[in-house]
Amino acid sequence: MSDAYDYFREHAIAAVRKARALPPGRSKQKQRTVARVYHLLSREAALAPNVHHLDDFRAARRLERQIGR
């Protein structure tokens, strides 16, 4: 993973796989939202690398950790 696009894309793929494994319910919806955030971050990073994406990434990671509890 050499750049932000690859990094965010890998997180998006992992989040989608995790969401598919969850049973239907609120946690699955939250996990799918996290996956969409990662996907949007990867698309933005592909257009123009930006350090400001890191704040959004950290917020998504925090939410993903809360879902796992």
Side-chain angles (χ1 to χ4, degrees), residues 3-41:
D3 61 351
Y5 169 76
D6 293 330
Y7 188 71
F8 292 141
R9 190 171 185 326
E10 289 299 319
H11 278 284
I13 291 169
V16 167
R17 288 181 180 153
K18 185 176 177 183
R20 287 179 181 163
L22 291 172
R26 186 78 174 138
S27 61
K28 184 171 188 158
Q29 290 174 348
K30 286 182 180 180
Q31 186 64 39
R32 290 185 69 203
T33 301
V34 168
R36 282 194 296 265
V37 169
Y38 289 147
H39 178 71
L40 289 173
L41 287 172

Side-chain angles (χ1 to χ4, degrees), residues 4 7-8 41 50-62:
Y7 188 71
F8 292 141
L41 287 172
N50 194 341
V51 177
H52 300 293
H53 296 313
L54 293 177
D55 295 332
D56 298 330
F57 174 73
R58 288 182 185 122
R61 292 289 289 180
R62 268 186 259 124

